[in-house]
Amino acid sequence: MTRGLGSATNTTLARDAIVSYLLLNINGTRVTDAPFDITNSVEGSSNTYTAQGQFLGIAEIDENSELSISSIQIELSALASGAVSTFANSNVINGDVKIYRIFFDQVTETNISDDPILIFRGSIAGYRIQDADDTATLTLQVDSQFSNFEKVTCRRTNNDNFQREFPNDHGMEFSHESLKDIPWGKVA
């Protein structure tokens, strides 16, 4: 059995009596793909993840051994009241997204005592609305925490660039002078 799971989950897995649901915290809005509301305290305080029809699906999370930017798409119904006004605005960009997997025992219909497992954490990079004749979908692009890993920030270590951000700080005043040796911890 998996060492990362608790004994209650391992016992239920052995009986083949387990069902899993996703818990999504999308910039403070909590939804689940379960057919009922789930209350859990995985994020520190007791929160209710609402079961509703606006969450349509989530793309596969690609895991590999290469250092790469992982991202997913979360599909929501754009027909649900409030979905477009909540998620399709500029305020959600860079908003936090956490996706958990929680396990329930099918026999007792109760949450297994283990905490939900965090399977993805990232931030919203963008959104797209697609209209069709009889439906509309809202897709959120969510990038992992390493999405800006290779981004060049265009910051320079010179006085002029530093003064733009911190006009009263003169810490880079002599940064243009080159030194052959900087005496760290030794008497100069």
Side-chain angles (χ1 to χ4, degrees):
M1 291 285 165
T2 307
R3 286 183 271 178
L5 301 177
S7 62
T9 303
N10 287 331
T11 303
T12 309
L13 280 170
R15 290 186 296 140
D16 289 329
I18 196 167
V19 63
S20 70
Y21 299 113
L22 294 176
L23 303 177
L24 286 86
N25 180 349
I26 306 171
N27 202 28
T29 302
R30 292 172 174 84
V31 295
T32 182
D33 64 344
F36 48 86
D37 291 350
I38 297 175
T39 301
N40 193 281
S41 60
V42 68
E43 295 179 322
S45 61
S46 182
N47 295 307
T48 300
Y49 295 82
T50 308
Q52 37 61 43
Q54 93 184 31
F55 173 61
L56 299 178
I58 189 169
E60 292 279 332
I61 299 172
D62 183 32
E63 294 182 2
N64 55 43
S65 61
E66 298 175 17
L67 181 61
S68 64
I69 299 169
S70 61
S71 64
I72 60 169
Q73 283 94 27
I74 299 174
E75 277 193 19
L76 303 165
S77 172
L79 298 177
S81 64
V84 174
S85 63
T86 302
F87 298 114
N89 63 59
S90 61
N91 294 336
V92 301
I93 302 299
N94 293 323
D96 290 332
V97 174
K98 295 177 187 173
I99 302 173
Y100 299 93
R101 182 168 304 278
I102 190 168
F103 297 101
F104 275 76
D105 189 328
Q106 285 182 322
V107 176
T108 62
E109 295 182 358
T110 58
N111 179 16
I112 298 172
S113 63
D114 301 325
D115 286 333
I117 300 168
L118 180 67
I119 58 173
F120 188 85
R121 183 177 186 168
S123 59
I124 299 171
Y127 59 88
R128 180 180 71 242
I129 298 176
Q130 293 177 310
D131 285 327
D133 291 336
D134 56 351
T135 188
T137 57
L138 170 65
T139 304
L140 296 175
Q141 174 73 32
V142 183
D143 292 339
S144 74
Q145 61 185 346
F146 297 111
S147 63
N148 290 333
F149 193 66
E150 297 175 2
K151 181 180 176 182
V152 178
T153 60
C154 297
R155 181 164 275 194
R156 307 214 188 313
T157 55
N158 61 37
N159 193 45
D160 292 337
N161 194 293
F162 195 70
Q163 289 293 310
R164 282 187 215 136
E165 300 274 333
F166 309 101
N168 296 325
D169 193 342
H170 300 287
M172 293 287 201
E173 187 175 357
F174 300 106
S175 64
H176 65 281
E177 294 180 11
S178 63
L179 299 172
K180 289 187 179 188
D181 185 28
I182 299 175
W184 295 100
K186 54 184 171 175
V187 179

